[in-house]
Structures are given as structure tokens and as C-alpha cells.
Amino acid sequence: MNEDDEFGALERQGDLSILRYRRRLAHAPEKVWRVVSELDQQAGWFPTTMEGERVAGAPLHFGFREHEGEPFDGVMLAFDPPSVMELRWADDILRFELHPDGAGCVLELTVTFPDYGKAARDAAGWHVCLEQLDHVVDGTELPWDPPDRWRTVHGGYVARLGPEASRIGPPAEWEAAHGPADQELDLG
């Protein structure tokens, strides 16, 4: 898979925006499912904590580990191990689907949200989360700092999605925790 294939695709349906990602992982769906759905495994890649039962209809509570935003609530919409987890994450709907593919699997993430202006910001965020998930599944260390990686990937999404989808940047709490979004990176 080339790097361009890793970028999420954005579409609009009425007042909703939909980001879609598709990643091929070299691990069985059951292994990837544990990383996607289990609390201790999510800590290595999911942007918030997720408190609540893993059952459809369960209320959920989310909190940012480094206080990059206020805690918020959601609900588990679907939970069908080891293939589907769908949840309301504040105003967004996240749907994770795993499909067997030879000895590995394909992970599809669909993010549905109402504010088109945050598309590039969120697209870069989920892109980095999926890269982190890949490292958690592989049991390897991250070769970069996630906020710095977000800054790098974000530019690609701004270029791909355009100015209307790039109006909203990171919350002030994120910048307070990680520095300005447009901070120069020392990649040398």
C-alpha cells in the first residue's frame, strides 16, 4: 500500500461529513479486535479513555488523557465481536469494522460528523490514531511523537481537502498540552 492509500477519503451527505479509512493489517481479526475494543489496548492508540460496557446501548464516558479537551459522553451503538464496534463519540459517530483478509484483516473506520470545517483536523487525528493502532498490534514502538506526527499529516489533509474543510484547528487545550498546531518541527 502506498502512502496516498493511507489518507482518509472525505465525502458529504447533506449536513454530514464522512471520513473513510481502509487499512490492511497483517494480523488476524481477533488480535486486531482486542486492540480496537479492549480498554488496556485502546490506551496505546485511541485519543481518549472510554469508560462503559462494551454492549450495544451502553452509555459511555470519554476523557482526554492529557487534558486536551473537556470530558464528554456518548453511547455504544453496536458491538459485535470481532467485527463491528460503532459508537457515538460526542457529536461524531465512529464505526470500526474488521474483515478477514487472508492471514490478516482489513480495518475500515468511518467517522461521521456534522461540522465540515473540522474535517482536515479530525482526518489527520484519526490518520495518526490508525498508525498508532498498527504499532500497538505489531508490538512496536512509535517512531515519532503523536502531536508532531499530526502536524506533519495535517498539512497533507489541508492540501487534499481544501480551505473550507480546514477552518477549525485544534482546541486551545490541545495546543496548551502540545504546543501550537503550526509549530515548526525539527525533523533532522
Side-chain angles (χ1 to χ4, degrees):
M1 177 177 290
N2 74 45
E3 186 175 302
D4 281 346
D5 292 339
E6 302 233 340
F7 278 86
L10 177 66
E11 64 183 79
R12 290 176 92 171
Q13 290 184 358
D15 292 338
L16 295 176
S17 299
I18 303 168
L19 284 166
R20 297 181 194 280
Y21 301 85
R22 183 178 170 87
R23 299 284 174 94
R24 169 91 177 57
L25 302 168
H27 300 280
E30 294 77 17
K31 180 175 184 176
V32 176
W33 178 258
R34 287 190 298 276
V35 173
V36 167
S37 65
E38 292 179 6
L39 184 62
D40 62 327
Q41 298 290 309
Q42 286 178 333
W45 71 273
F46 197 73
T48 63
T49 59
M50 183 190 305
E51 300 170 25
E53 287 186 70
R54 301 311 197 249
V55 60
L60 300 172
H61 184 73
F62 303 95
F64 289 93
R65 291 176 189 87
E66 296 183 36
H67 310 290
E68 301 101 319
E70 293 295 318
F72 56 93
D73 294 318
V75 66
M76 186 67 71
L77 300 172
F79 193 78
D80 185 18
S83 58
V84 175
M85 181 173 75
E86 183 176 47
L87 52 108
R88 185 172 51 77
W89 194 67
D91 293 331
D92 299 357
I93 303 295
L94 311 178
R95 183 175 179 88
F96 299 88
E97 293 184 55
L98 293 175
H99 306 282
D101 185 36
C105 67
V106 172
L107 168 63
E108 294 179 357
L109 169 59
T110 304
V111 182
T112 305
F113 55 99
D115 196 337
Y116 188 73
K118 70 176 192 152
R121 175 194 80 187
D122 288 9
W126 289 113
H127 182 112
V128 173
C129 287
L130 291 174
E131 288 179 337
Q132 288 176 264
L133 181 143
D134 194 27
H135 283 279
V136 172
V137 174
D138 284 344
T140 58
E141 294 292 321
L142 293 177
W144 32 254
D145 178 59
D148 289 345
R149 181 68 179 146
W150 178 88
R151 287 179 183 91
T152 301
V153 173
H154 182 249
Y157 280 101
V158 169
R160 283 173 163 68
L161 304 180
E164 189 179 334
S166 307
R167 289 181 293 107
I168 300 171
E173 298 92 344
W174 186 90
E175 289 188 317
H178 304 294
D182 58 359
Q183 174 178 313
E184 288 288 321
L185 298 178
D186 180 11
L187 302 174

